[in-house]
Amino acid sequence: MLEFFSPPAPRERLAADKIDKEYRRMRLKVFLGAFFGYAAYYLVRKNLSLAAPGMMAEGLLDKESAGFAMAGIPIAYAFSKFLMGSLSDHSDARKFLVVGLIIASSVMMAVGLVPYSSSIAVNAGVLFAFMLAVGWLSGMGWPPCGRIMAHWFSQNERSFKMSIWNCSHNIGGGSLGLLVSLGIATFAAMGITESWRAAFIFPSVVAICFAAFCWWTLRDTPESCGLPPIEEYRNDYTSRKAAKGEEQKIPFRRLFVDYIFKNHLLWMIAIANVFVYFIRYGVSDWAPTYLQEMQILSPDESRLAFSLFEYAGIPGTIICGWLSSKFFDGRCAPVNVIYMLMVLVGILCYWQAESIAMMLGGGEALLKSIVYGALSLTGFAVYGPIALIGIQALSFVPKNAAGTAAGFVGLFGYLLGDALLSKIVVGQIAGSAHLGWSATFWLFTIGCVIATSICAITWGKEYRLMNERRLQH
């Protein structure tokens, strides 16, 4: 089995006059494969968040149990992304991504097919187990994409190219809301009473179709296609180098100890990632439940709001990467600070939407517009730091440790920010009669301030580090 995932051997170098044309063709193909492949992983990630209101209406779940069950994905994903990251650094990215996507989609489809109990506790346990499996398999998505981007795109272009690539999860997440609405409408038209099951089944079928596309487009490294390394092709040697003798493969112990655990900059951005992920998932995953429970939006409108949050991240992420490359020489910290301040404004407007509408003398239409606008602003801004923190992780390590660094930062974001804070803590607080949604929004606000502060601290450190590397060359 391990031999199946082994990276392909380097091919004989192509003739010099063919390299540029082939490089441009292959870079486009692998970029599209990584883009749509990772987008497809998001078609089988947040399905329970969209199915939960329907399941709650039928008495199968409540907020506390839904939060517990949803936590299964980030808990497993946190460890999987970390461990799979190290495995992906020694594996064929093409096979790694495609196999994981097919199995993850099949498991999520099964969630919509199994019968459920009248006991909320039993249902929560069953769903938690399913989400653990999906979360573990989802860890086979980001690391091979990080490996592909590190091998096919050089340091001085990576922040902009990866900001575009990072929109893939916005495409996937936003499309999930629309696909779920389409699936639920289809199931209802067919007379299927438990139409919420479509939230698990319909997007999973689409994701499997994308797996076939990824198999056609993806390739592991330029060398496996008879092309020179990206540094040579682009004449860009600003990325961190591995120690002498470790250019191809870093031993596991040295990889984790020297390049990861002793890397204080990596630790700082990992902690910032906790609070950015808390806001990202805390706002988006609970939006359908919050908006329906507070009778602000209808079920269809709340799923539209969910999609707007995701889609707004597309221009936000692209502009974020452009600002980093154009004005800050590829540095990420300055733009992270700017964007997190916008996130703070978006959260406050979302929280106080009813008060703002009353102050402006508007009615229901104005309230809905404010909610849509606030969620769009939050989505526009929060996905920029999500993208750039991942890029920072790649720039702090050698490229053949890229998957492991991405996994390390993701471990913090998903385990603490997503699973613990956005799922379990929010589920308990929002479901509390004494705390409720108001206390939840206070947590979002505090988390935003902490993330902004840490990003500001890394501003000068990142600048000095990049200057030191230029002097070395």
Side-chain angles (χ1 to χ4, degrees), residues 61 74 108 130-131 181 213 241 272 278 310 320 326-327 362 385 434 464:
L61 291 174
M108 185 61 81
F130 269 118
M131 295 304 109
S181 291
F213 173 79
K241 290 184 176 181
F278 165 50
E310 296 290 341
C320 181
K326 182 71 173 179
F327 297 103
H434 302 290
R464 288 192 296 271

Side-chain angles (χ1 to χ4, degrees), residues 409-456:
V409 173
L411 176 69
F412 278 73
Y414 282 100
L415 184 62
L416 300 179
D418 188 3
L420 177 61
L421 293 177
S422 81
K423 301 296 192 299
I424 296 174
V425 172
V426 170
Q428 293 296 319
I429 291 178
S432 169
H434 302 290
L435 297 173
W437 292 111
S438 180
T440 301
F441 278 100
W442 270 112
L443 283 181
F444 291 152
T445 303
I446 294 170
C448 187
V449 172
I450 294 174
T452 306
S453 301
I454 296 175
C455 290

Side-chain angles (χ1 to χ4, degrees), residues 334-347:
V335 186
N336 284 341
V337 172
I338 296 169
Y339 266 57
M340 287 308 299
L341 291 175
M342 287 194 287
V343 171
L344 180 59
V345 174
I347 288 173

Side-chain angles (χ1 to χ4, degrees), residues 276-345:
V276 177
Y277 268 66
F278 165 50
I279 296 164
R280 169 193 179 183
Y281 285 110
V283 173
S284 66
D285 285 2
W286 289 99
T289 301
Y290 167 72
L291 293 170
Q292 291 180 48
E293 183 179 292
M294 300 299 291
Q295 298 183 340
I296 298 174
L297 299 179
S298 69
D300 283 340
E301 290 170 337
S302 69
R303 287 191 288 270
L304 174 61
F306 176 93
S307 294
L308 287 175
F309 177 91
E310 296 290 341
Y311 284 139
I314 297 172
T317 304
I318 294 174
I319 294 172
C320 181
W322 177 78
L323 290 173
S324 173
S325 297
K326 182 71 173 179
F327 297 103
F328 298 101
D329 200 23
R331 289 181 292 123
C332 302
V335 186
N336 284 341
V337 172
I338 296 169
Y339 266 57
M340 287 308 299
L341 291 175
M342 287 194 287
V343 171
L344 180 59
V345 174

Side-chain angles (χ1 to χ4, degrees), residues 1-30:
M1 185 66 176
L2 292 178
E3 290 183 1
F4 173 77
F5 287 106
S6 297
R11 284 177 50 190
E12 182 180 351
R13 181 81 59 97
L14 294 176
D17 60 338
K18 296 182 180 180
I19 286 177
D20 185 60
K21 181 179 179 180
E22 183 66 10
Y23 227 123
R24 285 187 281 112
R25 187 182 74 87
M26 287 306 304
R27 271 163 48 107
L28 177 60
K29 280 188 67 175
V30 298

Side-chain angles (χ1 to χ4, degrees), residues 188-209:
M190 295 170 60
I192 300 175
T193 55
E194 296 177 322
S195 58
W196 51 263
R197 290 182 181 272
F200 301 108
I201 299 172
F202 198 76
S204 299
V205 174
V206 177
I208 291 175
C209 294

Side-chain angles (χ1 to χ4, degrees), residues 102 125 181 230 263 272 351 370 383 447:
I102 291 173
S181 291
I230 188 62
N263 192 331
W351 181 10
I370 293 171
Y383 281 107

